[in-house]
Amino acid sequence: MSITNENTRPIVNPYLAVLVGVFAVSFSALFVRLSTAPPLIIATYRLLFTFIILLPVAMASGFRGVQGMTRRQIGLAAASGLFLALHFVTWFTSLLYTSVASSVVIVTTQPVFVVIGSWLFFRERISRLAMFGGLLALSGSFVIGAGDFQIGMRAFTGDLLALAAAIMVSGYLLIGRRLRGSVELSGYTFVTYGMSSVALVATSLIAKVPFYPYPTRDWLLFLALGAVCTVLGHTVFNWVLRYIPASVVSVSILGEPIGAIIWAAVFLGENPTPRQLAGGALIFAGLAIFTRVSARHSS
């Protein structure tokens, strides 16, 4: 995706682009819940349609973005794509077992795992206050999980899958953060989404999950997940990282579960429980402290 040349002043306000991205990704959970297809197929077509939509961009540039990447960078981008594929499969599966509110709020804890990963692999320091914020956010996940455990193992399993999805997307974000400073967006997305698509198609074939037939509405939802939630959501976030701090993007993405919960209430009749609201409040409070302190230390 090339809204403008990445080395010049953007013709689109990056902060406005972030708002568009948050609005776009907030529909992900709703689109998944409305689909009748298996989670693996939903994830497969989401990434496949995304790759197809962005392929003309890479072709128009003569694949310059990919050609400018080293073998190591291509390998890392491919690994990023595998993490993204695992994220979508585990998250979409969680939505079969637990509510939209529980799932999207728990997935939102990903900034905590990003910083933990930064400490483990890149030796980046974590302040005590940031650590407190991270623990507060994770405690909110446990509050939600404990409530869902009382409902039954099915909902609790969904919460665990959502937590796994948060960990998987952290791997995707960690690698992306390292590469985006030196790799063009068109090259990064081509390799990342391409590897995700190949991995998911291969897994679907091995698992013998049918690629068709599905109702027309499902195909429209697959396309919407790719065009709206990924291209206008995730890809836009990757683009704005060139122009505004990652901490700003991380905090802004906290708006996604709020939108997702609203859409679930309006279109699915799922109203969050008091325990989910309490757990969500702990997560948002912890992440607010966490991201603010992390941004201060990284600046």
Side-chain angles (χ1 to χ4, degrees):
M1 182 176 182
S2 181
I3 297 178
T4 182
N5 187 308
E6 291 190 79
N7 296 317
T8 62
R9 184 177 179 180
I11 58 174
V12 175
N13 187 318
Y15 292 93
L16 176 61
V18 168
L19 291 178
V20 172
V22 171
F23 182 73
V25 296
S26 70
F27 286 98
S28 295
L30 175 65
F31 291 162
V32 172
R33 287 292 294 274
L34 289 175
S35 176
T36 60
L40 181 57
I41 286 296
I42 300 174
T44 299
Y45 280 121
R46 173 173 181 167
L47 270 305
L48 193 57
F49 280 141
T50 299
F51 180 74
I52 293 171
I53 291 169
L54 293 178
L55 182 59
V57 178
M59 293 175 66
S61 66
F63 297 100
R64 186 184 65 245
V66 180
Q67 292 174 357
M69 298 171 68
T70 65
R71 288 185 179 180
R72 181 175 181 275
Q73 290 171 334
I74 291 175
L76 285 172
S80 177
L82 291 176
F83 276 115
L84 184 61
L86 287 169
H87 161 68
F88 281 138
V89 171
T90 50
W91 182 37
F92 292 174
T93 305
S94 81
L95 289 166
L96 285 180
Y97 294 93
T98 191
S99 66
V100 169
S102 292
S103 180
V104 296
V105 170
I106 291 174
V107 167
T108 307
T109 59
Q110 51 87 7
V112 178
F113 297 108
V114 168
V115 171
I116 291 174
S118 297
W119 174 70
L120 287 174
F121 299 109
F122 308 128
R123 296 304 175 190
E124 294 181 2
R125 295 178 60 187
I126 307 176
S127 71
R128 290 183 179 179
L129 187 56
M131 195 177 298
F132 168 76
L135 291 173
L136 186 63
L138 291 177
S139 71
S141 298
F142 293 133
V143 168
I144 293 173
D148 286 347
F149 183 75
Q150 292 176 358
I151 297 173
M153 274 303 296
R154 183 178 178 85
F156 183 65
T157 299
D159 293 346
L160 292 178
L161 285 167
L163 193 62
I167 295 172
M168 292 300 105
V169 79
S170 300
Y172 161 72
L173 292 171
L174 274 170
I175 297 173
R177 182 180 296 177
R178 286 282 158 173
L179 289 179
R180 281 295 292 126
S182 57
V183 173
E184 284 192 24
L185 181 59
S186 62
Y188 175 71
T189 54
F190 179 82
V191 177
T192 300
Y193 295 152
M195 176 54 73
S196 291
S197 301
V198 169
L200 288 169
V201 168
T203 303
S204 298
L205 288 170
I206 293 170
K208 297 182 179 179
V209 181
F211 285 88
Y212 64 89
Y214 294 104
T216 301
R217 188 179 75 168
D218 276 357
W219 291 104
L220 293 174
L221 289 169
F222 299 154
L223 183 59
L225 281 164
V228 177
C229 303
T230 311
V231 175
L232 293 180
H234 288 276
T235 307
V236 167
F237 292 146
N238 281 319
W239 175 76
V240 299
L241 284 173
R242 250 323 153 93
Y243 303 102
I244 61 179
S247 58
V248 174
V249 179
S250 296
V251 174
S252 300
I253 293 175
L254 297 183
E256 176 188 353
I258 297 174
I261 290 170
I262 292 173
W263 306 142
V266 173
F267 296 104
L268 302 175
E270 286 188 13
N271 294 311
T273 65
R275 186 182 285 269
Q276 288 172 333
L277 291 174
L282 284 174
I283 289 174
F284 287 132
L287 290 177
I289 297 171
F290 183 80
T291 52
R292 191 166 187 175
V293 174
S294 297
R296 190 186 308 154
H297 281 264
S298 62
S299 61

